[in-house]
Amino acid sequence: MDVLVPFAADRPKTRLSDTFTPAERRAFADAMLRDVLRAVREADGEPTVLADRPIDLADRVGADLAATAAVRVDDRELTPAVSAAITDAFPGTVADPADAIAVVMGDLAIATPRSLERLFDATGDVVLAPGRGGGTNALVVRDPAFRVDYHGASVRDHRRAARSIDASLTEIDSYRLGTDVDERDDLAEVLLHGTGTARRWLSDAGFELRTADGRVTVERTAVE
Amino acid sequence: MDVLVPFAADRPKTRLSDTFTPAERRAFADAMLRDVLRAVREADGEPTVLADRPIDLADRVGADLAATAAVRVDDRELTPAVSAAITDAFPGTVADPADAIAVVMGDLAIATPRSLERLFDATGDVVLAPGRGGGTNALVVRDPAFRVDYHGASVRDHRRAARSIDASLTEIDSYRLGTDVDERDDLAEVLLHGTGTARRWLSDAGFELRTADGRVTVERTAVE
C-alpha cells in the first residue's frame, strides 16, 4: 500500500505553542513522524512524506528510516496538496483494484502496525479512520473520483463525498488511529499509549501524567 | 456475557452543568443509557444496570428495554461498587472460563453492537478498552483475583493490576468504546458518530456541530 504521510514542517504543532518552545515543537513533531513512519513500514506500507516545504528526512527521522520513505513537497494547504497526490496515484480515470493510496497523518503518535494493518486491509472504495473532533486521521482511497476536504468536520464531509460518487464506505473503529496529537491534553495519550520515540521524548523532557478528577492531563517537571 | 453497566443516577453528568439544565442532564444521561443497553443486548450481552440509588428503569429507558435488564443498587463510589459486583460474579476463588463479567460504562453513547462484540469476544483474563484521558471505559474480567480501581489513570493501574496477578491482558483498540461523554466537546462525538437516542435527543434540543479551526465543537440554537 502506498501511504501518504502529511507533515507540517513549516510551522509544526502550533497549538502546542504554550507547552513547547519552537525548537521543542519541531523535535516532538519529528519524533511523532518517526513513530508513524516506522509503524507504516512495519504494516508493509510504503510511505511518502508529504511536506509543506523541503526537508532533510534523514535529519528528521534518522537515516535508516529515511531510506525507506520518499518525500513529496507541496506548499499548498492540506486539502489541495493531498488531492494532488491522490490524483497522481491513479493513472487511469477508471478504478483499478491495484491502485490504492492511504493517507495517514504524521501526528498519529500512538498508531501501531496492527492499527494500520486494519486500515490497509479493510475493504471499501473509501475507508475512513475518524479522529477526535470530526477529523479524518487516516483514510484509504480506491476510487479516483473521491475528493478529500480536510476543512471542518471532515469525517462527515468525507462520508458525504463517498456517497455522492456511490463509493462503498468503511469506517475503522480505532482509538489509536483516532488520536492525533494537537493539544496539550493529547500528550497524556502519548504517555499512556505510546510505544516509541515520541513517548520517550516526552518523558525525557520531564512530562508526566497528572491525575485529578476527570481525565488525566500532563505536567512538566524540571529535568537535569 | 454478563454485563455490568454503571450509571450515575444521583448526580448525572455534573461536568455538563454549564451546558444542560439538571432536568436535561438527567434526560440526556437516560438517553445514553438506553443506547448502551440496546447495544449490549444486540451484542448478546445480559445487562445489569449498576445504579447509585434505586431507579425505575422502565421510566428511564422504556419498558421494553428495561424488561431485558436487571438493576443492582450500590450507593458507594464506583470502585467499591464495581468490585463487589465482580466478586459476586465469581462464585469460586479459582478462575472458571464460564465465569466472566464485563463492565461497560453507561455513557458510551457511540458504542455499537460491533464494538461490544469485539470486547466480549477478545481473549484474555483481563480485557481493557481504554477511554480518553486514561479512563477504562469498558473491560472484561475472567480472573476473580483482578481488582478494579477507577481513580486516576485507571487504564494504567488496570494494566499493572493484571500484571501483578499474572493475568493475561488484552487491549481493545476502539474509538467507539474509547469515547465517553463527560464534557461539552464530547457532544460533538455523539452528533458525529451516534446512531441512537442520545444523538436524536441532542438534535431535538438544538445542538449542532460548530466547525472552526481545529476540532469541531457544538453550539446550541433555539428550538421551537
Side-chain angles (χ1 to χ4, degrees):
Chain A
M1 175 78 74
D2 289 329
V3 183
L4 200 67
V5 181
F7 178 69
D10 197 36
R11 296 190 306 147
K13 298 291 120 193
T14 49
R15 282 191 275 160
L16 286 168
S17 300
D18 291 344
T19 300
F20 295 142
T21 67
E24 288 174 335
R25 271 160 46 204
R26 174 180 159 154
F28 182 64
D30 289 352
M32 292 198 291
L33 178 64
R34 181 177 172 77
D35 290 343
V36 170
L37 290 179
R38 189 159 39 194
V40 167
R41 288 297 303 166
E42 291 183 14
D44 277 334
E46 297 176 19
T48 295
V49 176
L50 176 64
D52 55 359
R53 65 172 171 78
I55 59 171
D56 178 350
L57 192 58
D59 177 55
R60 301 269 179 171
V61 301
D64 286 1
L65 208 50
T68 71
V71 175
R72 177 184 171 115
V73 177
D74 192 324
D75 65 2
R76 289 175 290 177
E77 293 288 314
L78 187 63
T79 295
V82 170
S83 295
I86 291 176
T87 300
D88 290 350
F90 292 93
T93 53
V94 176
D96 178 339
D99 295 329
I101 184 167
V103 183
V104 175
M105 293 300 159
D107 62 352
L108 304 191
I110 66 170
T112 50
R114 178 70 197 115
S115 60
L116 289 167
E117 283 165 3
R118 286 175 59 203
L119 174 76
F120 300 160
D121 293 347
T123 55
D125 298 328
V126 176
V127 182
L128 303 176
R132 192 165 304 175
T136 305
N137 287 2
L139 58 79
V140 172
V141 180
R142 295 191 178 89
D143 186 326
F146 183 76
R147 294 284 174 270
V148 296
D149 180 353
Y150 284 101
H151 189 264
S154 67
V155 73
R156 185 182 54 176
D157 297 336
H158 288 151
R159 287 172 184 154
R160 290 176 181 160
R163 275 198 300 269
S164 74
I165 58 169
D166 285 326
S168 61
L169 174 66
T170 302
E171 293 199 23
I172 300 292
D173 176 26
S174 168
Y175 189 82
R176 290 185 174 277
L177 298 184
T179 302
D180 53 342
V181 179
D182 283 324
E183 301 172 0
R184 184 180 175 96
D185 284 351
D186 302 333
L187 302 180
E189 305 298 331
V190 182
L191 289 174
L192 285 160
H193 304 292
T195 57
T197 315
R199 187 195 169 169
R200 277 199 305 279
W201 188 94
L202 281 179
S203 291
D204 291 347
F207 285 88
E208 298 172 359
L209 294 177
R210 186 176 64 193
T211 62
D213 285 346
R215 291 173 182 155
V216 169
T217 59
V218 295
E219 64 185 357
R220 190 173 196 172
T221 55
V223 291
E224 296 180 6
Chain B
M1 177 78 72
D2 289 329
V3 182
L4 199 67
V5 181
F7 177 69
D10 197 38
R11 296 191 306 148
K13 298 289 120 197
T14 48
R15 281 191 275 160
L16 286 169
S17 299
D18 292 344
T19 300
F20 295 142
T21 68
E24 288 174 336
R25 270 160 46 205
R26 173 181 159 153
F28 182 64
D30 289 351
M32 291 198 292
L33 178 64
R34 180 177 174 78
D35 290 344
V36 169
L37 290 179
R38 187 159 40 192
V40 166
R41 289 297 303 168
E42 290 183 15
D44 277 334
E46 296 175 20
T48 295
V49 175
L50 175 65
D52 55 358
R53 65 173 172 78
I55 58 171
D56 177 350
L57 192 59
D59 177 55
R60 302 270 179 169
V61 302
D64 286 1
L65 208 49
T68 70
V71 175
R72 177 184 172 115
V73 177
D74 192 324
D75 65 3
R76 289 176 290 177
E77 294 287 313
L78 186 63
T79 295
V82 170
S83 296
I86 291 177
T87 300
D88 290 350
F90 292 94
T93 53
V94 177
D96 178 338
D99 296 329
I101 184 167
V103 183
V104 174
M105 293 301 159
D107 63 352
L108 304 190
I110 65 170
T112 51
R114 179 70 198 114
S115 60
L116 290 167
E117 285 166 1
R118 286 175 60 203
L119 175 76
F120 301 160
D121 292 347
T123 56
D125 299 327
V126 176
V127 182
L128 303 177
R132 192 165 304 176
T136 306
N137 286 3
L139 57 79
V140 173
V141 180
R142 295 192 179 88
D143 186 328
F146 183 76
R147 294 285 172 271
V148 296
D149 181 354
Y150 284 101
H151 188 264
S154 69
V155 73
R156 185 182 56 176
D157 297 337
H158 288 150
R159 287 172 183 154
R160 289 176 182 161
R163 275 198 300 269
S164 74
I165 59 169
D166 285 327
S168 62
L169 174 66
T170 303
E171 294 198 24
I172 300 292
D173 176 27
S174 168
Y175 189 82
R176 291 185 173 277
L177 299 183
T179 302
D180 52 343
V181 178
D182 284 322
E183 301 171 2
R184 184 180 175 95
D185 283 353
D186 302 333
L187 301 179
E189 305 298 332
V190 182
L191 289 174
L192 284 160
H193 303 293
T195 57
T197 315
R199 186 194 171 170
R200 276 198 305 277
W201 188 93
L202 281 180
S203 291
D204 291 348
F207 286 88
E208 298 173 359
L209 294 177
R210 185 176 64 194
T211 62
D213 284 346
R215 291 175 181 152
V216 168
T217 59
V218 296
E219 65 185 358
R220 190 173 195 171
T221 55
V223 290
E224 294 178 10

Short mmCIF file of all heavy atoms in Angstrom, two decimals, chain B residues 16 25 28 38 47-48 53-54 61 64 72 85 91 97 102 104 130 149-150 154 158 161 169 173 175 190 199 208 215:
data_model
loop_
_atom_site.label_atom_id
_atom_site.label_comp_id
_atom_site.label_asym_id
_atom_site.label_seq_id
_atom_site.Cartn_x
_atom_site.Cartn_y
_atom_site.Cartn_z
N LEU B 16 -21.36 18.45 32.73
CA LEU B 16 -22.16 19.11 31.69
C LEU B 16 -23.12 20.15 32.29
O LEU B 16 -24.06 20.58 31.64
CB LEU B 16 -22.93 18.06 30.89
CG LEU B 16 -22.08 17.24 29.92
CD1 LEU B 16 -22.86 16.06 29.37
CD2 LEU B 16 -21.59 18.13 28.77
N ARG B 25 -29.80 17.18 31.95
CA ARG B 25 -28.71 16.25 32.24
C ARG B 25 -29.27 14.86 32.50
O ARG B 25 -28.73 13.87 32.04
CB ARG B 25 -27.90 16.73 33.45
CG ARG B 25 -26.76 17.64 33.06
CD ARG B 25 -26.26 18.50 34.20
NE ARG B 25 -26.07 17.79 35.44
CZ ARG B 25 -26.11 18.35 36.65
NH1 ARG B 25 -26.33 19.66 36.75
NH2 ARG B 25 -25.92 17.64 37.72
N PHE B 28 -30.63 13.41 29.18
CA PHE B 28 -29.56 13.01 28.26
C PHE B 28 -28.84 11.76 28.77
O PHE B 28 -28.52 10.85 28.00
CB PHE B 28 -28.57 14.16 28.07
CG PHE B 28 -27.47 13.85 27.10
CD1 PHE B 28 -27.75 13.62 25.76
CD2 PHE B 28 -26.15 13.79 27.53
CE1 PHE B 28 -26.73 13.32 24.86
CE2 PHE B 28 -25.13 13.50 26.63
CZ PHE B 28 -25.41 13.27 25.30
N ARG B 38 -29.18 -1.04 24.69
CA ARG B 38 -29.60 -1.65 23.43
C ARG B 38 -28.41 -2.28 22.71
O ARG B 38 -28.51 -3.39 22.18
CB ARG B 38 -30.30 -0.63 22.54
CG ARG B 38 -30.91 -1.26 21.30
CD ARG B 38 -31.99 -0.40 20.72
NE ARG B 38 -31.59 1.01 20.77
CZ ARG B 38 -32.41 2.03 20.55
NH1 ARG B 38 -33.68 1.81 20.29
NH2 ARG B 38 -31.96 3.26 20.60
N PRO B 47 -27.40 -7.37 30.35
CA PRO B 47 -27.01 -6.21 31.15
C PRO B 47 -27.66 -6.15 32.54
O PRO B 47 -28.81 -6.53 32.73
CB PRO B 47 -27.49 -5.02 30.30
CG PRO B 47 -28.63 -5.58 29.50
CD PRO B 47 -28.33 -7.03 29.27
N THR B 48 -26.86 -5.67 33.47
CA THR B 48 -27.34 -5.26 34.78
C THR B 48 -26.91 -3.82 35.00
O THR B 48 -25.71 -3.51 34.95
CB THR B 48 -26.74 -6.14 35.90
OG1 THR B 48 -27.19 -7.48 35.76
CG2 THR B 48 -27.14 -5.62 37.28
N ARG B 53 -28.39 4.77 43.18
CA ARG B 53 -29.60 4.82 44.02
C ARG B 53 -30.73 4.10 43.27
O ARG B 53 -30.63 3.90 42.06
CB ARG B 53 -29.98 6.25 44.39
CG ARG B 53 -30.39 7.13 43.23
CD ARG B 53 -30.90 8.45 43.81
NE ARG B 53 -31.16 9.44 42.80
CZ ARG B 53 -32.24 9.47 42.01
NH1 ARG B 53 -33.13 8.51 42.08
NH2 ARG B 53 -32.39 10.45 41.14
N PRO B 54 -31.78 3.73 43.98
CA PRO B 54 -32.85 3.00 43.30
C PRO B 54 -33.42 3.80 42.13
O PRO B 54 -33.60 5.02 42.22
CB PRO B 54 -33.91 2.83 44.40
CG PRO B 54 -33.14 2.89 45.68
CD PRO B 54 -32.03 3.88 45.43
N VAL B 61 -35.55 4.13 30.47
CA VAL B 61 -35.16 3.65 29.13
C VAL B 61 -36.30 3.01 28.37
O VAL B 61 -36.09 2.50 27.27
CB VAL B 61 -33.97 2.65 29.23
CG1 VAL B 61 -32.77 3.30 29.90
CG2 VAL B 61 -34.39 1.38 29.97
N ASP B 64 -39.74 -1.81 27.27
CA ASP B 64 -39.23 -2.94 26.50
C ASP B 64 -37.79 -3.26 26.86
O ASP B 64 -37.42 -4.41 27.12
CB ASP B 64 -39.31 -2.64 25.00
CG ASP B 64 -40.73 -2.71 24.49
OD1 ASP B 64 -41.63 -2.98 25.31
OD2 ASP B 64 -40.94 -2.49 23.28
N ARG B 72 -29.03 -3.33 39.84
CA ARG B 72 -28.32 -3.56 41.10
C ARG B 72 -28.02 -2.19 41.69
O ARG B 72 -27.50 -1.32 40.99
CB ARG B 72 -27.02 -4.32 40.82
CG ARG B 72 -26.14 -4.57 42.06
CD ARG B 72 -24.82 -5.24 41.65
NE ARG B 72 -23.91 -5.32 42.79
CZ ARG B 72 -23.50 -6.45 43.35
NH1 ARG B 72 -23.90 -7.61 42.88
NH2 ARG B 72 -22.67 -6.42 44.38
N ALA B 85 -19.56 -6.17 42.72
CA ALA B 85 -20.31 -6.89 41.67
C ALA B 85 -19.42 -7.94 40.99
O ALA B 85 -19.88 -9.02 40.65
CB ALA B 85 -20.85 -5.90 40.64
N PRO B 91 -18.34 -17.18 41.79
CA PRO B 91 -18.72 -17.95 42.97
C PRO B 91 -17.52 -18.65 43.60
O PRO B 91 -17.44 -18.80 44.81
CB PRO B 91 -19.73 -18.97 42.43
CG PRO B 91 -20.18 -18.42 41.12
CD PRO B 91 -19.03 -17.64 40.58
N PRO B 97 -13.61 -20.69 33.27
CA PRO B 97 -13.82 -19.98 32.00
C PRO B 97 -15.27 -19.56 31.79
O PRO B 97 -15.55 -18.63 31.03
CB PRO B 97 -13.41 -21.03 30.96
CG PRO B 97 -12.49 -21.96 31.68
CD PRO B 97 -12.97 -22.00 33.10
N ALA B 102 -18.38 -8.41 32.22
CA ALA B 102 -17.94 -7.19 31.54
C ALA B 102 -18.47 -5.99 32.30
O ALA B 102 -19.53 -6.07 32.94
CB ALA B 102 -18.44 -7.18 30.09
N VAL B 104 -19.29 -2.08 31.34
CA VAL B 104 -19.41 -1.13 30.23
C VAL B 104 -20.10 0.12 30.75
O VAL B 104 -21.26 0.07 31.17
CB VAL B 104 -20.24 -1.74 29.07
CG1 VAL B 104 -20.48 -0.71 27.98
CG2 VAL B 104 -19.55 -2.99 28.51
N PRO B 130 -9.50 1.17 26.63
CA PRO B 130 -9.10 2.47 27.18
C PRO B 130 -10.03 3.58 26.73
O PRO B 130 -10.55 3.56 25.62
CB PRO B 130 -7.69 2.70 26.61
CG PRO B 130 -7.23 1.37 26.13
CD PRO B 130 -8.47 0.63 25.72
N ASP B 149 -9.84 -0.31 39.88
CA ASP B 149 -9.60 0.95 40.58
C ASP B 149 -9.82 2.05 39.56
O ASP B 149 -8.97 2.27 38.68
CB ASP B 149 -8.18 0.99 41.15
CG ASP B 149 -7.92 2.29 41.89
OD1 ASP B 149 -8.79 3.19 41.86
OD2 ASP B 149 -6.85 2.42 42.52
N TYR B 150 -10.93 2.72 39.68
CA TYR B 150 -11.30 3.71 38.66
C TYR B 150 -10.75 5.10 38.93
O TYR B 150 -10.99 6.03 38.17
CB TYR B 150 -12.83 3.77 38.50
CG TYR B 150 -13.36 2.59 37.72
CD1 TYR B 150 -13.95 1.50 38.35
CD2 TYR B 150 -13.25 2.56 36.34
CE1 TYR B 150 -14.43 0.42 37.63
CE2 TYR B 150 -13.72 1.49 35.61
CZ TYR B 150 -14.31 0.43 36.26
OH TYR B 150 -14.78 -0.63 35.53
N SER B 154 -6.84 5.15 35.27
CA SER B 154 -7.23 3.78 35.62
C SER B 154 -6.71 2.76 34.63
O SER B 154 -6.42 1.62 35.00
CB SER B 154 -8.74 3.67 35.76
OG SER B 154 -9.38 3.83 34.52
N HIS B 158 -4.96 -0.49 35.82
CA HIS B 158 -5.51 -1.81 35.49
C HIS B 158 -4.48 -2.70 34.76
O HIS B 158 -4.48 -3.92 34.93
CB HIS B 158 -6.79 -1.66 34.66
CG HIS B 158 -7.95 -1.15 35.48
ND1 HIS B 158 -8.96 -0.39 34.96
CD2 HIS B 158 -8.23 -1.29 36.80
CE1 HIS B 158 -9.83 -0.09 35.92
NE2 HIS B 158 -9.40 -0.62 37.04
N ALA B 161 -2.40 -3.93 37.56
CA ALA B 161 -3.12 -4.91 38.39
C ALA B 161 -3.16 -6.26 37.70
O ALA B 161 -3.03 -7.30 38.36
CB ALA B 161 -4.54 -4.39 38.66
N LEU B 169 -3.45 -10.13 29.48
CA LEU B 169 -4.08 -8.82 29.27
C LEU B 169 -4.24 -8.55 27.79
O LEU B 169 -3.30 -8.71 27.01
CB LEU B 169 -3.20 -7.73 29.90
CG LEU B 169 -3.62 -6.28 29.67
CD1 LEU B 169 -4.95 -5.99 30.35
CD2 LEU B 169 -2.55 -5.32 30.19
N ASP B 173 -8.71 -1.86 20.75
CA ASP B 173 -8.43 -0.58 20.10
C ASP B 173 -9.69 -0.07 19.42
O ASP B 173 -9.90 -0.29 18.23
CB ASP B 173 -7.29 -0.79 19.09
CG ASP B 173 -6.99 0.46 18.31
OD1 ASP B 173 -7.23 1.56 18.82
OD2 ASP B 173 -6.50 0.33 17.16
N TYR B 175 -12.31 3.27 18.93
CA TYR B 175 -12.68 4.68 19.12
C TYR B 175 -14.05 4.79 19.78
O TYR B 175 -14.28 5.64 20.64
CB TYR B 175 -12.70 5.38 17.76
CG TYR B 175 -12.85 6.88 17.85
CD1 TYR B 175 -11.75 7.69 18.10
CD2 TYR B 175 -14.09 7.48 17.68
CE1 TYR B 175 -11.88 9.05 18.19
CE2 TYR B 175 -14.23 8.86 17.76
CZ TYR B 175 -13.13 9.64 18.01
OH TYR B 175 -13.27 11.00 18.09
N VAL B 190 -20.99 12.61 19.75
CA VAL B 190 -22.31 11.99 19.66
C VAL B 190 -23.01 12.43 18.37
O VAL B 190 -23.63 11.61 17.67
CB VAL B 190 -23.17 12.34 20.89
CG1 VAL B 190 -24.53 11.66 20.81
CG2 VAL B 190 -22.45 11.93 22.18
N ARG B 199 -28.19 10.79 20.26
CA ARG B 199 -27.97 11.70 19.14
C ARG B 199 -29.25 12.45 18.79
O ARG B 199 -29.24 13.66 18.57
CB ARG B 199 -27.46 10.93 17.93
CG ARG B 199 -27.08 11.87 16.82
CD ARG B 199 -26.89 11.20 15.50
NE ARG B 199 -26.74 12.23 14.49
CZ ARG B 199 -26.38 12.01 13.25
NH1 ARG B 199 -26.09 10.79 12.85
NH2 ARG B 199 -26.30 13.00 12.40
N GLU B 208 -25.94 21.53 17.44
CA GLU B 208 -25.39 21.30 16.10
C GLU B 208 -23.88 21.36 16.18
O GLU B 208 -23.32 21.94 17.12
CB GLU B 208 -25.87 22.38 15.13
CG GLU B 208 -27.37 22.41 14.93
CD GLU B 208 -27.80 23.62 14.10
OE1 GLU B 208 -26.93 24.42 13.70
OE2 GLU B 208 -29.02 23.75 13.87
N ARG B 215 -10.52 21.26 16.21
CA ARG B 215 -11.56 20.25 16.35
C ARG B 215 -12.94 20.87 16.39
O ARG B 215 -13.13 21.99 16.86
CB ARG B 215 -11.30 19.44 17.62
CG ARG B 215 -10.05 18.60 17.43
CD ARG B 215 -9.66 17.86 18.67
NE ARG B 215 -8.43 17.11 18.38
CZ ARG B 215 -7.51 16.78 19.27
NH1 ARG B 215 -7.68 17.11 20.53
NH2 ARG B 215 -6.45 16.12 18.91
#
